[in-house]
């Protein structure tokens, strides 16, 4: 659950930059969004691994 909270925090923190990039054309904001998306990808993979481990240990 801790990692899921981190996912929510990353999304909340990058929300302003998404608006700046898509509505304002700010290239630097786009770079920050790309980094945040990479961080989300890593967190999502870690969550997937934890879920798989938990499911397999329950058997």
């Amino acid at each position: 659950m801790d990692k899921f909270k981190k996912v929510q925090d990353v999304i909340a923190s990058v929300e302003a930059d998404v608006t700046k990039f898509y509505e304002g054309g700010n290239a630097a904001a786009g770079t920050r969004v790309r980094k945040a998306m990479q961080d989300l990808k890593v967190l999502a993979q870690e969550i997937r691994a934890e879920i798989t481990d938990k499911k397999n240990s329950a058997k």
Side-chain angles (χ1 to χ4, degrees):
M1 285 296 288
D2 189 41
K3 287 190 174 145
F4 188 75
K5 178 66 176 149
K6 287 181 185 179
V7 168
Q8 292 174 319
D9 291 344
V10 170
I11 291 171
S13 69
V14 77
E15 194 169 354
D17 284 328
V18 170
T19 303
K20 287 178 187 177
F21 177 73
Y22 282 107
E23 293 179 6
N26 184 326
T31 301
R32 291 189 295 272
V33 171
R34 285 176 41 88
K35 183 189 180 315
M37 293 300 110
Q38 183 63 36
D39 294 343
L40 286 172
K41 180 181 172 183
V42 169
L43 283 169
Q45 188 60 41
E46 289 173 1
I47 291 169
R48 286 175 46 94
E50 282 181 11
I51 290 169
T52 300
D53 289 344
K54 188 169 181 127
K55 280 176 48 180
N56 290 339
S57 68
K59 292 181 180 180

